[in-house]
Amino acid sequence: MESNEKKTCLCGNGEYIVVACSGACDLGQVTDLVARKLRDNKIRKMNCLAAVGADIQPTIEMFKSSNLLLLDGCPVDCGKKILDKAGIEYKYLRLTDLGYVKGLTPVTKEVVETVYDKVAVEY
Ligand code: SF4
């Protein structure tokens, strides 16, 4: 028999949470690195967007009662579509809205820090 631990995500939970699209492209990678930096600096707990896609109800309910921030890389809006479909409210940042271009953005420490600084201050 499965334990309860296996039925839910054990990643960070709490009042302030961040999830990222974590896509394969450059901007998706930046969202992931910024989310991890927010976690490492104890600004927000990082949790799993994939858990919503997988319909993991304890995670969905926890997100609904949290101050949730979503980072999407581009206008395909994968994370936005997943959270909207689940009826979850959230704050939102799309990296292309900051002027970054998908496929043409080097994943550098400078880019990650620039996005991180904006998110940490404004969100
Ligand atoms: S939002 Fe854009 S960068 Fe993120 S996973 Fe979807 S297609 Fe990839």
Side-chain angles (χ1 to χ4, degrees):
M1 183 178 161
E2 267 190 305
S3 71
N4 282 338
E5 290 182 357
K6 289 182 180 174
K7 293 176 184 170
T8 188
C9 177
L10 294 179
C11 295
N13 58 40
E15 188 179 353
Y16 290 86
I17 294 174
V18 61
V19 293
C21 76
S22 300
C25 73
D26 46 11
L27 296 185
Q29 186 177 355
V30 172
T31 68
D32 190 79
L33 293 172
V34 169
R36 290 174 193 279
K37 191 172 172 78
L38 289 165
R39 175 199 64 194
D40 293 345
N41 289 339
K42 304 190 186 321
I43 305 293
R44 287 177 178 268
K45 302 278 181 66
M46 185 180 181
N47 210 295
C48 307
L49 180 64
V52 180
D55 196 29
I56 306 299
Q57 283 301 317
T59 300
I60 290 170
E61 291 309 313
M62 186 261 291
F63 283 1
K64 284 180 176 175
S65 63
S66 300
N67 180 313
L68 183 67
L69 170 64
L70 165 65
L71 306 176
D72 259 342
C74 77
V76 178
D77 287 350
C78 298
K80 185 177 190 340
K81 288 169 183 166
I82 289 169
L83 295 185
D84 287 348
K85 195 172 175 185
I88 297 170
E89 294 183 1
Y90 52 90
K91 296 179 177 178
Y92 188 61
L93 178 66
R94 183 191 293 124
L95 266 56
T96 49
D97 291 346
L98 299 179
Y100 295 109
V101 179
K102 185 176 177 180
L104 294 175
T105 301
V107 183
T108 62
K109 188 177 174 187
E110 289 70 27
V111 169
V112 171
E113 285 185 357
T114 299
V115 176
Y116 170 85
D117 287 344
K118 183 172 185 62
V119 171
V121 170
E122 296 185 19
Y123 294 84

